[in-house]
Amino acid sequence: RRLGVEQFGRLALLLTASQVVSLLVANGTQIGVVRFGAEEFASAGSVSETFWTRIWVVVPWVAVAGVAMLVGGARLAAYLTIPTWGLLVVWAHFTAAFTLSTVGSLFQARHEMKRYGAVLFLDKSVMGVLVFVMPSSIAHDPLSVLAMYAASSTGVAIWGLAVLGRSLLPIVFDRQAYRRMLSFSLPLFLSSWAGLFGTSWFDLLIIKSYRPV
């Protein structure tokens, strides 16, 4: 109601763009965090190796996506009908969502399902509060609403990281763990890409070109 029909369509377009980045660079490793994190927690009472291994696996893909966004930034911004700096908001939402999904997966791996549920609930409820209290002059801007999405996910992720605390230390790079997660995640990456290039990209095309936003 606060955005109106057209601006809500533009918000859907921005959320889809952020989700496309997630599909391409990050989603394939999320199940691996639960699997290897559970094994590490059972054997060592820690999840640091799993946490940092996911970071090392995803960083190269994130770098490629970042370069692609820089190179094609003006055209992408024009397609999304936002200023070029608005791509930073899309990137912030992707980063916040990625961090929050990692935190949630680690809670699952540690069998802390109440905290995992709290992560899911708080992300949506904080977002709801932010939208409710947002001045009408801001609530009509999809980029501002996307920023609220990012702020909500970031705040909840910070809480989750604080709870996990010392279990994420020390910062480690284990070559065998890296190979295991990459090997486990690669088929999931490929299925995500197949889904994206097979059907999901139609969302961007249809929302923008064939239906009123």
Side-chain angles (χ1 to χ4, degrees), residues 25-42:
V25 307
N27 286 9
T29 57
Q30 186 168 348
I31 297 174
V33 173
V34 180
R35 178 197 166 170
F36 296 112
E39 293 177 355
E40 182 186 359
F41 186 70

Side-chain angles (χ1 to χ4, degrees), residues 53-199:
T53 298
R54 187 190 197 197
I55 299 298
W56 307 138
V57 170
V58 168
V59 159
W61 304 104
V62 171
V64 170
V67 170
M69 188 171 285
L70 285 174
V71 172
R75 297 177 66 180
L76 178 58
Y79 185 81
L80 297 174
T81 61
I82 59 175
T84 304
W85 61 262
L87 294 176
L88 294 176
V89 181
V90 176
W91 191 261
H93 178 261
F94 153 71
T95 303
F98 166 73
T99 306
L100 189 66
S101 72
T102 303
V103 168
S105 297
L106 291 174
F107 281 141
Q108 287 180 279
R110 287 160 54 102
H111 309 290
E112 297 176 346
M113 299 308 292
K114 289 183 178 180
R115 285 175 172 167
Y116 172 58
V119 164
L120 299 180
F121 175 76
L122 288 172
D123 183 38
K124 300 299 184 291
S125 59
V126 171
M127 172 59 197
V129 170
L130 290 174
V131 169
F132 183 76
V133 302
M134 186 186 299
S136 296
S137 59
I138 299 177
H140 290 299
D141 180 13
L143 265 180
S144 297
V145 178
L146 186 66
M148 295 299 100
Y149 271 84
S152 175
S153 297
T154 298
V156 178
I158 289 172
W159 168 79
L161 291 171
V163 170
L164 291 166
R166 293 183 179 277
S167 67
L168 302 181
L169 296 175
I171 300 174
V172 295
F173 175 80
D174 185 283
R175 185 171 298 179
Q176 293 301 321
Y178 181 90
R179 288 177 177 172
R180 285 196 304 270
M181 184 171 289
L182 186 61
S183 176
F184 179 81
S185 301
L186 190 57
L188 301 175
F189 271 121
L190 295 175
S191 65
S192 294
W193 297 343
L196 174 65
F197 294 113
T199 58

